[in-house]
Amino acid sequence: MSKERVIIVGSGISGCMAALRLMQDYDVTIITKGQKEESNSMLAQGGVAAAVSKSDTPKKHFSDTFQAGCFHNKVRAVNQLVTCGPVVIQKLMEEGMTFDEKDGELSLGLEGAHRLPRILHIGGDQTGKFLTTFLQEKLTNINWQEQQMAIELIKQNDVAIGVHCLDMENQLHTYYGEHIILASGGLGQLFPVTTNAATISGDGLALAYRAGAKLTDMEFIQFHPTLLFLNGRCHGLISEAVRGEGATLVRTDGSAVMTNIHPMADLAPRDVVAATLFEEIETGNDIFLDIDAVAHFEERFPAITASLDAHQVPFRETKRIPVHPGAHFLMGGIRTDLHGKTNVPGLYAIGEVANAGVHGANRLASNSLLETLVFGEKVAEYIRTQETKPQNNPAIPLTSHAKAPHLPDKQLLQEKIWETLGITRKPEKITEFLHWIAAFDYANHTREAAEISHMLITAKLIAESALKRTESLGAHRILKGVMK
Ligand code: SIN
């Protein structure tokens, strides 16, 4: 008998984890927009938060997650994350994954809003790269489909049964399956300033929305405080772990930015730090990470060191890194249960594209990689309980749209999204933005048109959610008052 087919959209850790747990018994295909190495997971520096030390407990991790999330998190989801987390990590270690150690013990880093060090890391600041590679090397029994951009979810009798994709030449390819898992990441590329991979532009969110999936909490977008900032442009992440090792945020004159802002100062929750830096920059101040107090910086942060050298930043002499906040992570997304199930039968969502409720209004640092591992396991666990007969699918054509659509220039769209839905938001501006985007069409006859269309849909969902939440909470900060 033929095996049930699982189609996974996205090659990051959540998709790879699900594939690993299913590949022996299922016919698993991973579709990815770029190469399989292109994902936000690969870029993750900090690590994986988990209560694995003797002085830590899931209860403490639970409480830090809730506090950082402004108590907007879902209790059962956070419980699952913090209790299953250490178990999933232990299993991975038994399977051969090695995390950095110090004096024969796991070396645990500290990041913002954690009350104690609990961040497991690999290769110093290369956790995402090593973890993704480890999982991908284990995927010996799956079908990889690279450079395939998903442009439409296919449904039959209200059940998700497949995905239409475009290759690099805009040729259509269709994949059918009994289980469709979206693991396609968030939406960083909606913004001109982001830590995200070039492929991450809200595709999975827009596809799910068009297929009738429920999306929630879309207004909660996390801005990371410290991207490397040179000549008016950002060049990737400078991990929060650098502050965990003692770096501080300073102005040009050396004065500390975070003193008197929050009791945790430089390690305050990320929404607080990002908003503080944004205000400073708006008033004309340049901001730097002062790394003078960080012991063995180059050894602890080899990838950041390589990036600083590649950009000729004289940090060895100045002990300073110029930084700026940028879009990093979506807390909201496709509403799922604790096993990644959406309201559309046959459709699952895991990782950043999903909103199971673990992050609330502001994600706790390094909980995202833990989420990818835990929910990757959980979706596989659920699928294994289902018995869905492999179908002979009828060929269902792509929905056709205007071939000469009216679409905005991508850069202009990104700038407008940053101005309207960035770190601080004004309701009047959001309403204006919604009028502006209403004039554009939807199209998916080319990858370029589909990408801009997905960005428009995703931006509309954020804007509508942002307008509905009239009070500031976590990463959603409303500025009331006169419109400039
Ligand atoms: C970082 O290394 O600062 C990012 C980690 C995260 O997003 O949790």
Side-chain angles (χ1 to χ4, degrees):
M1 211 176 85
S2 58
K3 292 178 176 174
E4 287 175 41
R5 297 158 300 174
V6 178
I7 309 293
I8 299 174
V9 182
S11 62
I13 294 174
S14 59
C16 290
M17 190 69 185
L20 180 63
R21 299 295 178 237
L22 290 167
M23 71 177 182
Q24 291 314 334
D25 304 305
Y26 292 77
D27 177 352
V28 178
T29 298
I30 299 186
I31 293 167
T32 174
K33 188 175 178 182
Q35 310 276 4
K36 64 179 194 249
E37 296 79 16
E38 284 176 85
S39 65
N40 275 353
S41 293
M42 282 292 277
L43 301 177
Q45 294 179 350
V48 191
V52 294
S53 76
K54 287 189 193 84
S55 50
D56 203 359
T57 60
K59 202 168 161 194
K60 288 183 189 167
H61 190 185
F62 179 98
S63 139
D64 289 353
T65 300
F66 249 82
Q67 291 223 7
C70 304
F71 302 91
H72 187 68
N73 326 50
K74 296 256 182 292
V75 172
R76 289 175 60 230
V78 180
N79 237 335
Q80 171 167 290
L81 182 80
V82 299
T83 53
C84 296
V87 181
V88 172
I89 299 276
Q90 180 60 36
K91 189 164 159 192
L92 273 181
M93 287 167 65
E94 284 161 13
E95 288 170 327
M97 185 72 243
T98 51
F99 292 91
D100 293 343
E101 292 187 2
K102 198 173 171 195
D103 306 326
E105 299 276 334
L106 283 169
S107 162
L108 299 173
L110 181 63
E111 287 179 20
H114 287 273
R115 73 180 71 179
L116 46 75
R118 63 161 72 93
I119 320 294
L120 295 118
H121 46 86
I122 315 166
D125 54 3
Q126 303 168 87
T127 311
K129 178 176 148 195
F130 281 104
L131 197 45
T132 313
T133 308
F134 171 81
L135 293 172
Q136 290 189 351
E137 281 173 358
K138 288 202 169 297
L139 298 180
T140 49
N141 196 17
I142 68 153
N143 171 22
W144 280 107
Q145 291 293 340
E146 294 179 286
Q147 314 276 29
Q148 296 280 319
M149 178 177 177
I151 56 163
E152 187 165 83
L153 290 173
I154 307 167
K155 289 204 307 185
Q156 188 183 29
N157 302 327
D158 288 330
V159 177
I161 58 160
V163 190
H164 284 307
C165 300
L166 290 181
D167 65 20
M168 296 300 276
E169 277 76 48
N170 293 316
Q171 295 301 309
L172 188 67
H173 300 257
T174 302
Y175 303 89
Y176 289 104
E178 284 65 51
H179 309 278
I180 314 295
I181 304 177
L182 289 174
S184 49
L187 49 65
Q189 290 295 335
L190 261 67
F191 294 84
V193 183
T194 181
T195 57
N196 285 198
T199 48
I200 306 295
S201 46
D203 300 317
L205 299 155
L207 296 188
Y209 173 74
R210 291 187 66 231
K214 193 167 162 42
L215 285 86
T216 50
D217 291 342
M218 291 294 289
E219 68 275 34
F220 296 117
I221 295 168
Q222 182 167 80
F223 294 86
H224 197 290
T226 56
L227 278 63
L228 174 61
F229 187 62
L230 298 168
N231 305 321
R233 290 195 53 216
C234 284
H235 303 270
L237 183 65
I238 305 291
S239 176
E240 205 164 286
V242 175
R243 275 176 282 137
E245 297 287 343
T248 51
L249 290 156
V250 296
R251 304 180 186 89
T252 308
D253 64 5
S255 54
V257 177
M258 291 306 297
T259 316
N260 300 329
I261 300 283
H262 188 279
M264 297 180 94
D266 291 277
L267 289 173
R270 210 170 267 176
D271 56 335
V272 176
V273 183
T276 306
L277 297 202
F278 185 65
E279 254 174 56
E280 289 277 340
I281 290 164
E282 289 277 277
T283 59
N285 286 331
D286 292 329
I287 305 293
F288 303 86
L289 265 175
D290 181 330
I291 58 166
D292 202 23
V294 181
H296 314 294
F297 179 87
E298 295 181 44
E299 214 176 286
R300 173 69 177 86
F301 301 109
I304 295 174
T305 298
S307 164
L308 294 173
D309 282 339
H311 291 99
Q312 297 172 336
V313 181
F315 68 98
R316 292 182 186 83
E317 295 78 46
T318 62
K319 302 286 178 198
R320 280 186 173 193
I321 303 171
V323 291
H324 190 288
H328 186 56
F329 188 88
L330 171 68
M331 272 71 72
I334 306 164
R335 189 92 198 102
T336 70
D337 70 1
L338 297 181
H339 287 92
K341 246 189 325 156
T342 73
N343 59 306
V344 177
L347 182 66
Y348 308 83
I350 50 172
E352 190 177 346
V353 77
N355 178 18
V358 291
H359 305 304
N362 172 56
R363 174 173 63 80
L364 182 67
S366 288
N367 265 358
S368 50
L369 289 195
L370 188 67
E371 179 192 23
T372 59
L373 294 170
V374 169
F375 283 78
E377 285 260 3
K378 287 287 169 187
V379 76
E381 197 178 290
Y382 177 79
I383 286 173
R384 288 181 164 285
T385 66
Q386 302 299 295
E387 265 185 41
T388 316
K389 282 214 174 70
Q391 305 286 323
N392 274 333
N393 299 108
I396 297 183
L398 178 69
T399 316
S400 60
H401 300 279
K403 288 279 190 295
H406 176 44
L407 290 171
D409 171 72
K410 183 172 166 181
Q411 203 179 329
L412 175 66
L413 177 60
Q414 288 171 321
E415 274 155 21
K416 288 219 179 244
I417 293 173
W418 173 241
E419 277 167 23
T420 319
L421 301 166
I423 298 178
T424 52
R425 298 159 176 182
K426 292 185 180 154
E428 305 89 343
K429 284 256 181 207
I430 300 175
T431 307
E432 221 177 68
F433 174 75
L434 280 168
H435 283 129
W436 182 72
I437 57 173
F440 297 109
D441 295 325
Y442 177 87
N444 59 9
H445 60 299
T446 65
R447 288 170 68 107
E448 197 186 351
E451 187 167 273
I452 293 178
S453 297
H454 293 168
M455 290 169 70
L456 283 167
I457 291 175
T458 311
K460 180 168 177 276
L461 293 170
I462 303 167
E464 286 171 347
S465 290
L467 269 188
K468 279 191 198 130
R469 189 170 297 283
T470 53
E471 296 300 326
S472 296
L473 183 71
H476 172 62
R477 291 187 177 239
I478 292 277
L479 278 189
K480 291 183 180 156
V482 281
M483 195 169 111
K484 274 200 200 146

